[in-house]
Amino acid sequence: MDIPAASRPPIAPPVETAAAFANGGPLTPSSDQMVAMAVIIFGFWNVPIVRNLINPLKLFTIGWHELCHISAAILSGGRIVKITIDPHVGGATIVEGGSPGFVLSSGYIGSSLLGGAFILAGWDTLVAKVLSFVLGVGLVLPLVLVRDKLTILLTLCYEGLLIGFWFVDHGQALRWYCLFIGVMNGLFVVWDVADDRFFHKTNDSDATQFSIMYPRIVWAAIWVIIQGAIMAGFAIIGIVAFKLTKEQMDKQAAAFLPT
């Protein structure tokens, strides 16, 4: 017996499958994925022994952060006295003169902006390809100061992984590598404050320095909110601005350097 259409239970719309993504739209980053990456980074950043495995990525992140301090110091007329870049004790830039507020805030702001750029790469292969050169150079530069053989070996491994990802699904894998780097840089204040407050690293966090300069304000919370908002803003830009299908993305990226 036929059931009248009006009395039939509603039928759920078809769910897109992996095949549908392969034939049309690409898999795109989600908030759950970025939260998962943040949890993984937090664990690897602080857990003894295991944290050595991401030393090259930490050096890249810390190095960029300190470079922002250095640039701000020079632009504001300051003089660089000492620079420390270490994956275990953190980074430090000792400055004479310049604008203290500008120099100090430049580190977190610079990390946020670089992190945001790498987050955008999670939505577009061409952006990921371009930023992979930034990452490739940025991984190598800290080796000028590094003598640890394990860190040097791991740096070569991460460079090899970066090159290999160029040839995985026409560079699509680069998007996830860049997204991971984006989360690491975009939430630098979290790792910085955690190192300072809970793991007692040698160098103070920038948030602690802000508290010394401008007391009675919870600077750690303020900077976490600021960096979180900047990350969310770049993610929204990624969702709104990059709507290419996988085929369109592959064609666009192939015009830069085909794989």
Side-chain angles (χ1 to χ4, degrees):
M1 182 176 67
D2 293 335
I3 301 175
S7 62
R8 293 176 185 169
I11 300 175
V15 178
E16 289 184 295
T17 62
F21 281 114
N23 295 327
L27 291 168
T28 56
S30 68
S31 58
D32 290 344
Q33 291 166 343
M34 286 191 280
V35 169
M37 287 181 179
V39 172
I40 292 171
I41 292 167
F42 185 83
F44 273 80
W45 194 282
N46 297 294
V47 176
I49 301 176
V50 176
R51 65 187 180 185
N52 294 328
L53 297 177
I54 64 165
N55 274 356
L57 302 184
K58 290 177 71 173
L59 285 170
F60 172 76
T61 302
I62 295 170
W64 170 259
H65 180 87
E66 297 307 321
L67 179 61
C68 292
H69 285 312
I70 294 167
S71 300
I74 294 172
L75 288 174
S76 60
R79 184 175 72 88
I80 308 302
V81 177
K82 182 181 179 182
I83 302 170
T84 300
I85 301 175
D86 188 279
H88 301 311
V89 302
T93 300
I94 310 300
V95 178
E96 283 186 354
S99 173
F102 175 57
V103 173
L104 196 54
S105 61
S106 64
Y108 286 152
I109 292 174
S111 293
S112 298
L113 295 179
L114 182 70
F118 273 93
I119 285 171
L120 288 181
W123 272 269
D124 189 80
T125 308
L126 177 59
V127 178
K129 280 187 171 183
V130 172
L131 287 179
S132 70
F133 287 95
V134 176
L135 179 57
V137 174
L139 286 172
V140 171
L141 286 179
L143 294 184
V144 175
L145 305 174
V146 172
R147 297 295 177 267
D148 178 57
K149 293 181 180 179
L150 176 61
T151 300
I152 295 173
L153 177 61
L154 287 171
T155 299
L156 296 177
C157 291
Y158 280 111
E159 289 282 10
L161 193 64
L162 186 65
I163 295 170
F165 278 176
W166 267 75
F167 302 94
V168 176
D169 196 13
H170 303 289
Q172 290 283 325
L174 283 173
R175 293 166 51 215
W176 306 102
Y177 197 155
C178 287
L179 183 65
F180 188 84
I181 298 299
V183 173
M184 181 177 286
N185 282 269
L187 290 178
F188 182 82
V189 62
V190 176
W191 334 129
D192 196 35
V193 170
D195 275 346
D196 190 7
R197 298 288 179 86
F198 306 113
F199 300 98
H200 309 294
K201 71 174 184 180
T202 304
N203 297 320
D204 290 337
S205 67
D206 288 358
T208 296
Q209 290 295 318
F210 265 107
S211 297
I212 294 172
M213 292 173 57
Y214 312 104
R216 299 182 181 181
I217 300 176
V218 186
W219 285 105
I222 289 174
W223 278 110
V224 168
I225 293 171
I226 291 173
Q227 285 207 316
I230 292 174
M231 275 189 62
F234 274 100
I236 292 171
I237 293 173
I239 293 170
V240 173
F242 299 105
K243 296 182 178 180
L244 299 178
T245 65
K246 182 180 182 302
E247 287 72 18
Q248 291 171 330
M249 197 182 296
D250 289 345
K251 183 177 180 180
Q252 180 194 61
F256 176 64
L257 279 176
T259 53

